[in-house]
Amino acid sequence: MTYIKDLADHVDNQVTLKGWVYNFRSSGSLVFIEMRDGSGLTQCVVAKDDVSEDAWEAANSLKQESSLEITGTVKADERSIGGHEIHVSDVKVIQVAENYPITPKEHGVEFLMNNRHLWLRSQRQWAAMRVRNEIIFAIHTFFQGRGFVQMDSPIFTGNAAEGSTTLFETDYFEDKAYLAQTGQLYGEAMAMAHGQIYTFGPTFRAEKSKTRRHLTEFWMIEPEMAFYDLEMNMDLAEDMLKAVVSQVLEKCKMELETLERDVETLQKVAEKPFERMTYSEAVDILTSEDTANMLDEMAESRRQEKIDLEKEEEEIRKEHGQAKKWRKTQIDQRIKEISARVDQIEEDLRNIPKWKESAKNFEWGNDFGGSDETVLMMQFDVPLIVTHWPAEIKAFYMKRDETDKLALGMDILAPEGYGEIVGGSQREESLEVLEERIAEEGLDKEVFEWYLDLRRFGSVPHSGYGLGLERTVSWICGLNHVRETIPFPRMMGRLTP
Ligand code: 4AD
Ligand code: MG
């Protein structure tokens, strides 16, 4: 058995492929089967004269997603998907599929999500999962290459570390436990044992928000390093993101093409230094006249673009009547593109006034909302690291600066409107200060005693951060919702399949 990804090694030779029918059409004495085998997609051509009667019958009995075995000769063909074509000598059906619910026509997202177990087979979904896999591999490669030890934090925990409003509570025999919102507190203990560690595991938040950035179950990568200050923490995160983006650009060319991802912006991320500024500087940008003007100009250029697109549509529609068949197909395709773009423009035009209002009236001390992040990031083509946050809106464990008003936290915002992908900080290392914080926040000191021990026995300055895997996948793939970045997403209102 040969895998489609390896066809280049078998040009002009006979191979046997096992897989599924992705697409299928017949014309007289030829059957064209687009076959997928998990490793790739290739076109198989069955000519009536080249195969036995049984094989010809088998080929004609096929339906979308039927499983099959094909034997044939590999031909190099520039114009074919993947650069090869199979000239078939035998077809064996493994199972003729029932009518497959996901057809090449368009489906609504709810329908596709309900069929997620099947939707995973579609090209774009397949490509996104492969990019996710490469990102995971790149993260491990990066940290392992620097001598970090991967360690696992528990999922059942008694500690709420990231606020009490998003906890999933569960019975733990006579006790109650939470599903971990973060592995960080355990990460700190492990860093005191191993110096530089990272966790890579599922985390849970009862997020009551239905946004394109929120899941209730997501995967987080949390490095924690003894003797790192905020600056070193930022440098590490920047190096990591650059390494991840570079590796994906190198290894996932075909997947990014399938996803129609603009790779130029990713290349910039791999090459250019990230932007860094304090929260206060970011607020100044957000509330500035320049930002308001930029949004006005953006609205104006969107309106103009819409007028131009509508004019173009009118013209090609006129042409449609007399056009040749191939041109008609081209026109239909273009009309679809125009309509998608116009929808996007209309959404932007509805949003821009809201964004402008929210940015202009932003008050120092608040957390950035999704739209504030979007507006801020319109001005940058690389990630932005925001530091020195108002302490009130950040977690109790963050170290503060000398004014005691600002937390030495860092958030990294992705370009192109993908929002916060990293949250981290330097940690408070003083026992007394932490005890005060825990009391101030009304946290149960008893469950934090073990954590306080880390400050009793050889406390050192240390730092770490958490990278949200799904948001990173969504950004690198250019997907507009995190639900397509994980095989089986868990969100408010979705527990199946
Ligand atoms: O900013 P957060 O809440 O930070 C922490 O949990 C720290 N304890 C991490 C650390 O310092 N070790 O979450 C970190 C990242 C966010 O930047 C975001 O990318 C992701 O986790 N994230 C989510 N992703 C998807 N759905 C959600 N509901 C998410 N909440 C956070
Ligand atoms: Mg955060």
Side-chain angles (χ1 to χ4, degrees), residues 162 182 184 205 207 215 220 222 397 420-421 427 466 468:
E162 299 296 333
T182 169
Q184 179 196 320
R205 306 228 177 145
E207 299 275 7
L215 295 166
M220 188 149 53
E222 297 186 86
Y397 53 71
E420 180 201 325
I421 50 171
R427 319 306 190 189

Side-chain angles (χ1 to χ4, degrees), residues 124-148:
R124 285 178 60 86
Q125 301 306 313
W126 177 85
M129 287 304 114
R130 310 229 337 161
V131 174
R132 178 185 168 105
N133 174 62
E134 196 65 44
I135 291 172
I136 292 171
F137 188 32
I139 288 168
H140 283 296
T141 307
F142 175 81
F143 284 117
Q144 295 291 333
R146 294 191 174 212
F148 281 59

Side-chain angles (χ1 to χ4, degrees), residues 16-59:
T16 295
L17 304 175
K18 293 183 184 189
W20 297 263
V21 176
Y22 190 65
N23 222 330
F24 165 91
R25 79 196 149 84
S26 65
S27 71
S29 57
L30 290 175
V31 172
F32 299 91
I33 304 165
E34 259 181 52
M35 180 175 178
R36 55 169 202 90
D37 72 347
S39 83
L41 192 65
T42 193
Q43 169 148 291
C44 307
V45 185
V46 192
K48 190 174 181 190
D49 296 341
D50 295 350
V51 296
S52 69
E53 225 165 89
D54 281 355
W56 180 246
E57 215 170 277

Side-chain angles (χ1 to χ4, degrees), residues 162 205 367 394 411 420 422-424:
E162 299 296 333
R205 306 228 177 145
D367 204 353
K394 288 293 183 191
D411 277 12
E420 180 201 325
V422 167

Side-chain angles (χ1 to χ4, degrees), residues 210-441:
K210 288 189 175 174
T211 79
R212 60 202 185 91
R213 295 173 186 167
H214 287 96
L215 295 166
T216 53
E217 177 179 303
F218 61 99
W219 288 69
M220 188 149 53
I221 296 89
E222 297 186 86
E224 191 71 33
M225 298 75 62
F227 306 107
Y228 269 50
D229 62 12
L230 183 63
E231 198 74 20
M232 296 161 83
N233 204 20
M234 287 194 270
D235 290 345
L236 181 75
E238 178 167 346
D239 287 353
M240 175 199 69
L241 287 171
K242 283 191 152 68
V244 168
V245 168
S246 303
Q247 186 165 327
V248 171
L249 282 172
E250 190 194 326
K251 297 286 173 56
C252 295
K253 287 202 178 67
M254 182 251 291
E255 288 85 353
L256 293 172
E257 208 179 294
T258 301
L259 292 163
E260 296 166 287
R261 179 65 166 110
D262 169 13
V263 290
E264 239 169 74
T265 63
L266 291 179
Q267 244 127 23
K268 286 198 190 111
V269 174
E271 287 153 18
K272 276 175 64 175
F274 291 4
E275 296 285 340
R276 297 181 183 196
M277 66 180 66
T278 64
Y279 166 89
S280 295
E281 288 167 332
V283 172
D284 286 345
I285 293 186
L286 208 52
T287 52
S288 71
E289 196 92 337
D290 283 354
T291 293
N293 292 338
M294 177 202 72
L295 286 167
D296 287 340
E297 278 162 30
M298 188 172 157
E300 191 42 48
S301 92
R302 292 282 196 281
R303 272 191 284 274
Q304 190 54 51
E305 188 185 346
K306 188 178 162 204
I307 292 170
D308 294 345
L309 286 170
E310 283 168 348
K311 217 182 275 165
E312 182 188 343
E313 182 175 344
E314 204 183 305
E315 272 158 28
I316 54 178
R317 273 191 192 282
K318 272 189 222 145
E319 192 194 330
H320 197 275
Q322 298 87 318
K324 292 241 163 58
K325 199 171 165 205
W326 66 268
R327 176 64 185 148
K328 275 200 167 82
T329 319
Q330 211 176 39
I331 290 174
D332 291 341
Q333 180 57 31
R334 181 65 190 147
I335 287 176
K336 249 195 223 160
E337 277 168 26
I338 290 177
S339 131
R341 180 64 192 147
V342 168
D343 284 351
Q344 180 60 53
I345 290 174
E346 281 172 354
E347 196 187 323
D348 285 353
L349 287 174
R350 277 193 300 273
N351 279 330
I352 289 171
K354 292 185 220 157
W355 291 343
K356 191 177 156 187
E357 212 47 30
S358 163
K360 200 172 69 185
N361 299 323
F362 188 89
E363 278 176 36
W364 196 100
N366 289 338
D367 204 353
F368 296 132
S371 73
D372 303 314
E373 290 177 355
T374 303
V375 170
L376 198 53
M377 291 313 288
M378 283 171 185
Q379 350 225 347
F380 306 106
D381 55 8
V382 291
L384 166 67
I385 313 184
V386 181
T387 61
H388 299 82
W389 293 74
E392 285 79 51
I393 58 170
K394 288 293 183 191
F396 74 95
Y397 53 71
M398 289 192 187
K399 191 178 171 66
R400 296 184 184 173
D401 75 348
E402 51 301 335
T403 67
D404 201 38
K405 298 245 162 10
L406 300 176
L408 298 181
M410 61 160 199
D411 277 12
I412 305 187
L413 308 183
E416 303 172 80
Y418 287 93
E420 180 201 325
I421 50 171
V422 167
S425 71
Q426 185 167 336
R427 319 306 190 189
E428 179 53 65
E429 76 257 30
S430 148
L431 176 65
E432 291 70 36
V433 176
L434 260 189
E435 280 175 335
E436 249 169 63
R437 294 273 171 73
I438 286 172
E440 270 168 30
E441 301 248 337

